[in-house]
Amino acid sequence: LLLFIPLTSLMFCFNAPKDDNDKMSTIMISVKNTLAYLHFNPKPINDAYSQDVYKKYFETIDPAKRYFLQSDMNDFAKHQTKLDDYLNGGDLTFFNLTNSRMMQRIDDIDKITKDILAKPINLDEDETLILEPKIKQNPKDQKELQTEWRKYIKYSILQEIETLNSKEEAQKKKKDSFQKNKLKDTVMVKILTPEQKRLKATTEVRDLLSDSFRRIKKVKKMDWFTRYMNAYTEVFDPHTNYFSPKDKEDFDTQFAG
């Protein structure tokens, strides 16, 4: 916990007319100083801390290992024990590297998913899809990335079809109950063919992915930076978070009612 700021958050406002990189660099140093001097039991900011921050950061931005390739992770790993140094010096090297790569992968995957959904998907073929992040590996290359996303899309479509089947079955049971008890039957049961369900489920998944990528692309760099800084603060103390100036303004507004 932070002295005088228990169970709360680090909040910073910078009014000087600097560009975003200058602001972010200043924020890093300010966060480091705040953690080091205001915390009653400061955690050593060293290589071990750096490795924990590294792990926390990727658990935050790519928890399901769907975006970064293994080659990306190999590039990032070179910085695994340097994050403490970057914090001390306000160095954005690692953040800029990971953020630009994330934007590149998001564009790649957006196109990949559109290409996958533009062609028929074989829903009857047995395949294995690993969802548990602890045992899942990052895709080794673009081909494997595309395969993993095709299987994930297939899995999502099958889930949607199962949801349609469950709703249909529930409506049937409700209608049967009304008829059995001689109640006024107001239940409309629309039975879809397997092909209609496939098309409906595919459209639903396509719309969900399109909306998801649209929202991700609208996330500002400073918001990605907030996630980066929260990896530092949460590893230092799970109850401590970094608030960007915009987040602080929102917090103040909500707190004031």
Side-chain angles (χ1 to χ4, degrees):
L1 304 184
L2 291 178
L3 188 62
F4 305 128
I5 321 177
L7 297 176
T8 184
S9 304
L10 303 176
M11 304 177 190
F12 300 92
C13 285
F14 299 93
N15 298 316
K18 300 176 180 179
D19 62 29
D20 281 350
N21 281 338
D22 284 339
K23 287 180 181 179
M24 289 186 287
S25 180
T26 302
I27 287 169
M28 289 185 75
I29 294 173
S30 296
V31 167
K32 180 262 180 183
N33 290 337
T34 302
L35 292 174
Y37 297 120
L38 294 186
H39 202 285
F40 77 92
N41 185 26
K43 185 173 184 174
I45 297 179
N46 52 23
D47 287 357
Y49 171 73
S50 176
Q51 290 174 315
D52 289 341
V53 172
Y54 180 91
K55 180 180 178 183
K56 180 71 174 179
Y57 179 51
F58 287 108
E59 287 175 350
T60 301
I61 65 171
D62 189 17
K65 299 180 181 177
R66 291 201 185 105
Y67 294 100
F68 292 124
L69 300 176
Q70 186 56 51
S71 58
D72 297 328
M73 298 308 297
N74 293 341
D75 288 342
F76 302 153
K78 299 170 186 175
H79 303 264
Q80 194 168 0
T81 60
K82 299 178 182 178
L83 271 62
D84 55 322
D85 301 320
Y86 295 155
L87 182 65
N88 286 325
D91 191 329
L92 296 169
T93 298
F94 182 69
F95 170 71
N96 284 333
L97 172 64
T98 56
N99 186 250
S100 63
R101 195 71 58 86
M102 172 63 89
M103 296 304 99
Q104 178 187 338
R105 294 299 170 227
I106 287 171
D107 284 339
D108 291 345
I109 295 165
D110 188 15
K111 183 178 183 302
I112 285 172
T113 57
K114 285 181 171 64
D115 289 343
I116 291 170
L117 285 160
K119 305 168 186 174
I121 299 174
N122 184 356
L123 301 179
D124 298 319
E125 181 184 3
D126 289 337
E127 294 184 285
T128 300
L129 175 65
I130 299 174
L131 296 174
E132 174 53 54
K134 290 183 179 180
I135 61 174
K136 184 178 180 180
Q137 301 294 319
N138 290 85
K140 65 182 180 181
D141 51 31
Q142 285 282 349
K143 183 177 180 181
E144 190 169 294
L145 180 70
Q146 181 167 1
T147 298
E148 287 299 302
W149 272 94
R150 180 187 57 76
K151 290 194 291 186
Y152 177 69
I153 289 171
K154 175 180 174 178
Y155 168 76
S156 299
I157 292 172
L158 290 171
Q159 280 194 313
E160 286 294 329
I161 291 175
E162 183 57 34
T163 298
L164 291 172
N165 288 336
S166 297
K167 288 181 178 178
E168 188 178 278
E169 190 60 33
Q171 288 298 91
K172 284 182 182 178
K173 289 181 179 179
K174 189 174 181 180
K175 186 176 185 69
D176 290 344
S177 177
F178 274 50
Q179 293 175 344
K180 181 179 179 180
N181 293 285
K182 298 181 179 180
L183 299 173
K184 184 178 179 181
D185 187 358
T186 58
V187 180
M188 297 293 294
V189 180
K190 184 177 180 181
I191 306 298
L192 300 178
T193 66
E195 179 61 14
Q196 287 174 323
K197 290 176 183 175
R198 184 188 69 80
L199 291 173
K200 185 177 178 65
T202 301
T203 298
E204 181 69 18
V205 171
R206 180 186 291 111
D207 291 346
L208 286 171
L209 285 173
S210 177
D211 183 61
S212 177
F213 284 114
R214 179 184 59 80
R215 286 186 286 107
I216 291 174
K217 289 180 179 182
K218 288 176 67 176
V219 176
K220 296 179 180 178
K221 186 174 183 178
M222 191 62 78
D223 293 323
W224 287 106
F225 178 72
T226 295
R227 299 176 189 181
Y228 178 56
M229 293 314 301
N230 272 321
Y232 280 104
T233 60
E234 289 174 18
V235 168
F236 196 91
D237 183 332
H239 301 295
T240 300
N241 298 96
Y242 161 73
F243 271 12
S244 69
K246 178 63 170 64
D247 290 335
K248 179 189 181 302
E249 181 182 340
D250 293 343
F251 176 85
D252 289 344
T253 300
Q254 292 176 11
F255 190 76

